Amino acid sequence: MDLRSLRHFIAVVETGSLTRAAASVHIAQPALTAQVKRLEAEFGVRLLERSSSGVVPTAAGRVLYLEAGRLLADAHSVRSRLTRKADQPEGRVTLAATVSLVYSVIGRVLVRAR
C-alpha cells in the first residue's frame, strides 16, 4: 500500500467508475484496475462491487475510503511540517480577555500578532 494507490482508490470511489477515475488521475484504466486488485489482495477483502454501471465500495471499501482520506491528510501535514522554515512559528494560541478589552484592543492585537 502506498499513498498513490490510496489517492487512486479515493478517485475510484468518488467517481464511481474505474474509467473516469483513471482519466482523472491520468493513468491507464488497466493500471488502475491492477492497483485496486493489489489493494484487495493485500488486505484480503473485496473493496469494490463492480457492475456494468460502475463501481461502489463494499463495507471494507468504505472503511478504506475514510481511512485513506485521513492518511493522506496526515501525510500532507507531515510534509508541510517538515518543509516549514524554522523561523515560521506553528501551534495553537489561546487568548483570553475581558469583554471591555475585546471591543477596544483585541482587534488591533490580533492584527499585529498575525
Side-chain angles (χ1 to χ4, degrees), residues 17-114:
S17 163
L18 287 159
T19 303
R20 286 192 302 269
S24 74
V25 297
H26 309 291
I27 66 170
Q29 185 267 327
L32 181 59
T33 299
Q35 279 186 356
V36 171
K37 286 183 180 184
R38 277 193 298 276
L39 286 171
E40 289 176 328
E42 184 175 343
F43 293 119
V45 295
R46 280 185 66 125
L47 298 171
L48 299 171
E49 291 293 333
R50 296 157 178 88
S51 72
S52 59
S53 60
V55 296
V56 294
T58 62
R62 287 189 297 275
V63 170
L64 180 59
Y65 174 76
L66 293 173
E67 293 300 327
R70 289 186 194 118
L71 286 170
L72 292 173
D74 287 347
H76 177 75
S77 175
V78 168
R79 187 178 300 113
S80 294
R81 292 183 73 196
L82 291 175
T83 58
R84 182 175 287 129
K85 294 179 182 165
D87 64 344
Q88 292 177 325
E90 72 173 276
R92 181 185 235 173
V93 175
T94 303
L95 182 63
T98 63
V99 174
S100 61
L101 284 178
V102 169
Y103 294 111
S104 62
V105 177
I106 295 300
R108 291 186 302 250
V109 169
L110 291 177
V111 168
R112 250 186 109 164
R114 186 170 178 229

